[in-house]
Amino acid sequence: MKRIIISILIMLFGASIWYLFIKKYDYEITFMANMAPIGAYHQVKNITANADKLVNETLNFSDIDLKQEVIFANEKVFLDWKFKSVNDTITKIKVGIVSKDHSVKNRVQVITGSSSLIKLIKDDLIKFRKELRRYSDTFKIIIDGKTEIPPMDVLLVSSEIQRNRKAQEMMSQNSYLYPKLKEGKVEKKGYPFVKIEQWDINKDILQMNFGFPIVHKDSLPIDSIIQYKRINAQKALKATYYGNYIKSDEAWFALFEYARLNGIVVEQKPLEIFYNNPMQDGNELQWKAEIFLPIKIEE
């Protein structure tokens, strides 16, 4: 009996040493988000933009990690965000919490249930989770699988912008391009599109083309801004997106994750085709876009 008691005491002592001095986090919170990992990552950065300091971040399609230093109740706290996919449109978010100056004290209070710091952070993260849920309820993504980008003759305008300004840039370029098509009596042969030529994922900068498919003719309104181009057919992954076009890149993220989970090598050059006129249809969940992600051709 005495040996059993001693063994239990040793185990408890070892567990206490591990928890108080070795364990990575004071506390860890886990919740789900109805979006792909990169989408969830960007929402964390947007919603928690008031964080005092960005300590470190890793952003690629297989490893997404965000570390922040924030102030809660006049105390410096490290938040370590990790994003792991459950599937292409659901992400498990884990937040590791560490008090910078009072970690041991905070861990003791966690054990006794008296940590006001952890309660404050939990309440804040519950609010954040609700904001994420409200955001993800504003769009719907259906992964359609493998298909082919349709061939098109197009007139387009190129620009380089931050990704979060894509929709504004579309409207700006449309106000220049569309009147030129009418003046030149160019017949459209489809819906407006955005083609991403390059995406710097870390700086979040796009080189994008906005334009219209057309019926080709000898005389086209080409100038220093408007270009003619032929888009060739190419194998691709496809998703159908419903929602405000400001958020249509959420479908990119879902397709990138689908490709990663299924071992499909793709190009970071999404093509979006938009079927609704936002100026004429007020029901955003009825706005439809088809998103294509080119499959890389093996050489």
Side-chain angles (χ1 to χ4, degrees), residues 26-45:
D26 299 353
Y27 197 79
E28 191 170 14
I29 295 172
T30 301
F31 57 95
M32 301 293 185
N34 294 325
M35 61 185 75
I38 293 181
Y41 158 86
H42 281 295
Q43 285 307 302
V44 168
K45 286 199 73 173

Side-chain angles (χ1 to χ4, degrees), residues 105-118:
K105 175 186 173 184
N106 190 49
R107 293 178 189 216
V108 170
Q109 291 178 338
V110 167
I111 293 172
T112 60
S114 61
S115 175
S116 57
L117 175 65
I118 294 300

Side-chain angles (χ1 to χ4, degrees), residues 78-115:
F78 288 115
L79 299 181
D80 186 0
W81 301 78
K82 295 188 182 298
F83 308 83
K84 297 295 181 184
S85 63
V86 176
N87 58 43
D88 40 77
T89 57
I90 298 178
T91 298
K92 179 185 287 187
I93 302 175
K94 288 187 177 182
V95 189
I97 304 163
V98 180
S99 170
K100 184 177 180 181
D101 299 314
H102 305 104
S103 181
V104 174
K105 175 186 173 184
N106 190 49
R107 293 178 189 216
V108 170
Q109 291 178 338
V110 167
I111 293 172
T112 60
S114 61
S115 175

Side-chain angles (χ1 to χ4, degrees), residues 135-150:
Y135 175 80
S136 63
D137 284 345
T138 61
F139 59 84
K140 180 181 179 182
I141 298 166
I142 300 170
I143 303 294
D144 301 304
K146 290 184 179 180
T147 185
E148 194 172 78
I149 293 172

Side-chain angles (χ1 to χ4, degrees), residues 161-174:
I161 55 153
Q162 287 291 137
R163 181 185 51 82
N164 61 8
R165 291 195 53 79
K166 176 172 62 75
Q168 292 93 320
E169 186 68 12
M170 287 167 51
M171 291 187 287
S172 173
Q173 301 295 15
N174 182 63

Side-chain angles (χ1 to χ4, degrees), residues 117-160:
L117 175 65
I118 294 300
K119 183 181 183 307
L120 187 64
I121 295 172
K122 284 176 70 174
D123 289 344
D124 203 64
L125 288 176
I126 288 170
K127 291 178 185 176
F128 172 74
R129 183 181 62 187
K130 288 179 180 178
E131 289 185 59
L132 268 187
R133 195 165 289 167
R134 280 193 292 268
Y135 175 80
S136 63
D137 284 345
T138 61
F139 59 84
K140 180 181 179 182
I141 298 166
I142 300 170
I143 303 294
D144 301 304
K146 290 184 179 180
T147 185
E148 194 172 78
I149 293 172
M152 296 182 284
D153 292 297
V154 302
L155 286 179
L156 57 84
V157 179
S158 297
S159 53
E160 182 176 286

